[in-house]
Amino acid sequence: AGSSHTCALTTAGGVKCWGRNSSGQLGNATTDNSPTPVGVGGLTSGVGAIAAGNYHTCALTTTGGVKCWGFNPSGQLGDGVLGDRFTPVDVSGLSSGVSTIAAGGSHTCALTTAGGVKCWGNNSSGQLGDGTTDDRPIPVNVSGLTSGVSAIAAGDSHTCALTTAGGVKCWGNNDDGQLGDGTRDNRLTPVDVS
């Protein structure tokens, strides 16, 4: 579920979405809101998981690739081009090798089969974890997390990872202490949760 839209993964591996569609987040080649589910263009099968940000949506294919659609002023769709997309586009460099995806407010992250984390999109609070606050329209490696990660989760402007050793690391916005490191300082690279 995103901010004002919802999506479902069918048992056939297709994706259907409904609700607000002002930025194409329903993926049906229109910007018309829909009070009932509509099929996402080109995704009637072959999808293994879905994730919704505030106004964008992404799908992980059964072959380990990532496709995204919807709102894209910060590059959260990951295809290297800014501007909304009304149907799914391939995320640059991630046509295979991904095991899990997570969508934040305006950023997206992927866990690779090698246990690394890559993120893209809005980075105003450091939520991409690459040591900068520069938005990234294509995936970048999260600093220090090229391996050893087993799960990821994304909040509105922060991201966290569960390591294979059972530890937790977070990065990004920390106004309310959501990174768990005992401070309220934003972190541009992963820090250990206390």
Side-chain angles (χ1 to χ4, degrees):
S3 176
S4 303
H5 76 291
T6 314
C7 296
L9 175 62
T10 71
T11 52
V15 185
K16 293 178 181 282
C17 298
W18 59 97
R20 185 173 178 177
N21 197 28
S22 55
S23 301
Q25 58 263 51
L26 302 188
N28 67 335
T30 78
T31 54
D32 299 330
N33 295 345
S34 180
T36 57
V38 292
V40 173
L43 295 183
T44 56
S45 64
V47 175
I50 53 176
N54 281 349
Y55 305 108
H56 76 289
T57 317
C58 295
L60 173 64
T61 69
T62 52
T63 56
V66 185
K67 296 175 180 283
C68 297
W69 59 96
F71 196 50
N72 193 36
S74 304
Q76 56 262 55
L77 304 188
D79 69 341
V81 181
L82 301 183
D84 299 351
R85 298 287 189 274
F86 306 145
T87 56
V89 294
D90 292 323
V91 174
S92 179
L94 294 182
S95 59
S96 65
V98 174
S99 62
T100 304
I101 56 173
S106 298
H107 75 291
T108 316
C109 295
L111 175 62
T112 69
T113 52
V117 184
K118 294 177 179 282
C119 297
W120 59 96
N122 186 284
N123 198 26
S124 57
S125 300
Q127 59 263 49
L128 303 188
D130 69 343
T132 77
T133 54
D134 299 330
D135 293 351
R136 303 293 187 182
I138 60 172
V140 293
N141 289 322
V142 174
S143 180
L145 293 184
T146 54
S147 64
V149 174
S150 60
I152 54 174
D156 187 64
S157 301
H158 75 293
T159 317
C160 294
L162 172 65
T163 70
T164 52
V168 183
K169 294 176 179 282
C170 297
W171 58 96
N173 187 284
N174 199 27
D175 288 349
D176 298 305
Q178 58 263 54
L179 303 188
D181 68 342
T183 77
R184 292 182 188 274
D185 300 326
N186 290 358
R187 301 296 186 180
L188 309 186
T189 57
V191 293
D192 291 321
V193 173
S194 179

